[in-house]
Amino acid sequence: TKAGGSRDRDHLGAGRCRPSKIGASRRPPPARVRVAVRLRPFVDGTVGASDTPCVRGMDSCSLEIANWRNHQETLKYQFDAFYGERSTQQDIYAGSVQPILRHLLEGQNASVLAYGPTGAGKTHTMLGSPEQPGVIPRALMDLLQLTREEGAEGRPWALSVTMSYLEIYQEKVLDLLDSTSGDLVIREDCRGNILIPGLTQKPITSFADFERHFLPASRNRTVGATRLNQRSSRSHAVLLVKVDQRERLAPFRQREGKLYLIDLAGSEDNRRTGNKGLRLKESGAINASLFVLGKVVDALNQGLPRVPYRDSKLTRLLQDSLGGSAHSILIANIAPERHFYLDTVSALNFAARTKEVINRPFTNESLQPHVLGPVKLSQKELLGPPEAKRARGPEEEEIGSLEPMAASASASQKLSPLQKLSSMDPAMLERLLSLDRLLASQGSQGAPLLSTPKRERMVLMKTVEEKDLEIERLKMKQKELEAKVLAQKAEDSKEKENHCPTILRPLLHRTVTVAKPLKKAVVMPLQLIQEQAASPNAEIHILKNKGRKRKLESLDAPEPEEKAEDCWELQISPELLAHGRQKILDLLNEGSARDLRSLQRIGPKKAQLIVGWRELHGPFSQVEDLERVEGITGKQMESFLKANILGLAAGQRCGPS
């Protein structure tokens, strides 16, 4: 932006965004985002005495910076306000922030954003120090004073103030007033207002209340040390102050105004900050959210159909402040040192684009629903002419003594004959009355909705009451019939008891059937069965199935021998068992890790454990010593023996598990 370019663009932008006269009455008036630039002084120890600043202020609204492409030129910028190195905290607050506080009392939203590179003084501008308070303490002090004056006794409005404090750290919304809340979600209501369910709200009536909640919460904010700043902000901090107003007299209106005080984390050049590890991850999240913020500003200026608010938690939260319904102030903080030159140019370009954004603030006002009290009508008004009353019977007079509810004391508003007025919702009755007035104003033909004559209205009410009485009579008749049926059933049961004295009584205890345990069978290899069958002294038992009854049959026995159900496992000779256990023991003492993996239930890890244990403690004396190896329990040992002893006894190798 060269000299004169920014001023011309302001006029073009204002002309482009000016609403037409037709839409001015329907849409809220536009309000451009106001931008103020603050140049901080030199920091001790950063530059030499002979170094000159790269930024120079021209007047209270414009500044110039050296053009790095051409040293013979300077880039000039013009904003709503420029505060030089000698400006104070009071100058910035009184010149830019204090004028927007009055919008909160009108039920409108406002926001103040501190933007700039890291080390440019954003946190100092927003918080300040005990000797030089920043924007946040000054704004809260003045806002509480305004609410006390406007909400005093005798004033038409009653005001209350609440505060919430949160931070956006690595795309997580954290409640600083409640550190145990976790990541919160950002929602949008039906009117387009941004809200955060579950965010803590603290009522405040004085500045002491504000300090009691704010100071401990500020210590919960995430900060870290970098080469440029010992307490660098690693998150975006947002202080939300809500002003609720309630009208003391009719029509009992309600207003709500919100003030967002936002201290953004600074964009960082990791080559100068020296960020590593966690600091580098935090820096990436900060720069990504600020990049999305720039995309949002560009989309608003270009009039794109989609604005990427949802691409970042920060832009989602700032949806009211940029292109929304808030009076927004952007305070761009820049540094004068030459090694901040690129960051300074980037911040000034972002501020120049932001001042073209148009917001449309509106008043958040609603009517407080109030319950209408019932209005008692006299008997004469309820029944109409005297002759109608004389023609009525005693039952009809009882019906006519009902006390309906009226929506208003006005004589022009008639009662609806469509339903009983004693059960009508006041809000629904008010809507019917407004519809009746609308139809009357438009000159509609046909019978009016609510202005039915009294005589016809009473006939309709009488018809409704007769139907209700008929329904009640039918209900009573149904109850009588049900009682007769129950009495008849009781008599029938008594007669059956007299004729059948030996009626079965219900069992006192329920019989519980216990499931039988599952039967087990061990399958032997075919070669082992053949070898043992060929030997003359071997005794092998095989399972056979005959119908529903299983029996154990020996190869040598001529007749099958029945066994109990708990003897379904194979019976192996002690010589074969000892031979199998000895082969397992030899393999444990002499086999390599690969040989051990051939055993069932032994994998690569357990094989390495067995080899290491053997080298450390010596050979195994018995197979049960395997239980002392880490990772092998007694149950695993039992299944290990069952799975391997038959195969090893037959001289076969079992595959790995």
Side-chain angles (χ1 to χ4, degrees), residues 276-529:
K276 296 180 181 179
L278 179 60
R279 293 289 174 264
L280 186 62
K281 184 178 179 181
E282 294 170 350
S283 177
I286 293 171
N287 291 337
S289 61
L290 294 177
F291 175 72
V292 176
L293 181 62
K295 289 173 57 179
V296 167
V297 172
D298 293 339
L300 291 172
N301 290 334
Q302 297 174 16
L304 298 181
R306 178 187 178 274
V307 182
Y309 288 117
R310 296 177 181 267
D311 291 358
S312 172
K313 295 290 184 67
L314 175 64
T315 53
R316 180 64 167 155
L317 189 63
L318 298 181
Q319 187 169 344
D320 283 344
S321 304
L322 296 175
S325 60
H327 297 270
S328 298
I329 300 292
L330 176 70
I331 304 177
N333 294 263
I334 58 176
E337 292 84 5
R338 288 189 176 274
H339 63 275
F340 276 98
Y341 177 81
L342 295 179
D343 293 331
T344 300
V345 172
S346 176
L348 291 175
N349 290 335
F350 175 80
R353 300 196 308 269
T354 303
K355 73 174 185 176
E356 302 295 332
V357 176
I358 300 298
N359 292 350
R360 295 188 177 275
F362 60 86
T363 300
N364 300 312
E365 184 176 292
S366 60
L367 291 177
Q368 180 180 0
H370 54 282
V371 181
L372 298 175
V375 178
K376 294 183 180 181
L377 300 180
S378 62
Q379 192 75 8
K380 182 178 180 180
E381 292 177 344
L382 187 62
L383 298 180
E387 56 272 11
K389 183 178 179 180
R390 288 193 297 269
R392 296 165 65 96
E395 182 180 356
E396 296 177 354
E397 288 183 2
E398 182 181 357
I399 298 174
S401 62
L402 298 175
E403 298 177 357
M405 180 185 299
S408 175
S410 174
S412 61
Q413 296 177 348
K414 304 298 180 180
L415 300 177
S416 173
L418 302 180
Q419 56 176 312
K420 292 191 295 183
L421 299 180
S422 58
S423 61
M424 181 180 289
D425 185 21
M428 180 62 68
L429 182 58
E430 184 178 356
R431 293 180 63 182
L432 289 175
L433 292 172
S434 61
L435 179 60
D436 183 45
R437 290 192 295 269
L438 180 61
L439 293 176
S441 63
Q442 295 179 355
S444 60
Q445 301 295 329
L449 182 63
L450 300 176
S451 58
T452 308
K454 293 181 180 179
R455 187 174 301 176
E456 297 180 8
R457 183 173 68 246
M458 297 310 303
V459 171
L460 291 175
M461 292 179 63
K462 178 183 176 182
T463 304
V464 172
E465 291 292 339
E466 288 178 353
K467 291 182 178 180
D468 291 342
L469 292 175
E470 182 67 22
I471 292 173
E472 291 294 333
R473 284 194 292 268
L474 291 176
K475 288 182 179 180
M476 293 297 296
K477 189 173 182 180
Q478 182 181 2
K479 290 181 180 180
E480 292 177 358
L481 293 176
E482 291 177 354
K484 290 182 180 179
V485 171
L486 292 176
Q488 185 67 29
K489 288 182 178 180
E491 292 178 0
D492 294 342
S493 61
K494 289 181 179 180
E495 291 178 359
K496 289 181 180 180
E497 289 180 357
N498 295 332
H499 292 288
C500 302
T502 60
I503 190 170
L504 296 177
R505 299 295 180 183
L507 296 177
L508 297 178
H509 300 284
R510 184 176 60 182
T511 304
V512 180
T513 303
V514 181
K516 297 181 179 180
L518 296 177
K519 300 176 181 179
K520 299 180 181 179
V522 178
V523 180
M524 293 179 59
L526 181 60
Q527 296 179 1
L528 179 61
I529 296 175

Side-chain angles (χ1 to χ4, degrees), residues 41-56:
F42 282 104
V43 178
D44 296 338
T46 57
V47 294
S50 61
D51 195 1
T52 58
C54 61
V55 181
R56 182 175 65 89

Side-chain angles (χ1 to χ4, degrees), residues 209-265:
D209 294 342
F210 167 73
E211 286 184 327
R212 185 173 67 254
H213 300 305
F214 182 78
L215 294 180
S218 299
R219 290 190 286 269
N220 294 333
R221 185 182 178 185
T222 306
V223 296
T226 63
R227 291 180 182 176
L228 301 179
N229 193 350
Q230 291 298 323
R231 289 184 57 83
S232 176
S233 300
R234 315 309 298 166
S235 63
H236 309 292
V238 180
L239 175 64
L240 172 58
V241 182
K242 187 185 298 185
V243 180
D244 293 323
Q245 305 179 63
R246 296 179 182 272
E247 198 172 15
R248 290 190 170 100
L249 301 176
F252 304 104
R253 292 173 296 174
Q254 295 181 356
R255 290 178 180 175
E256 182 183 83
K258 298 179 182 179
L259 175 62
Y260 294 90
L261 299 171
I262 305 167
D263 180 14
L264 298 176

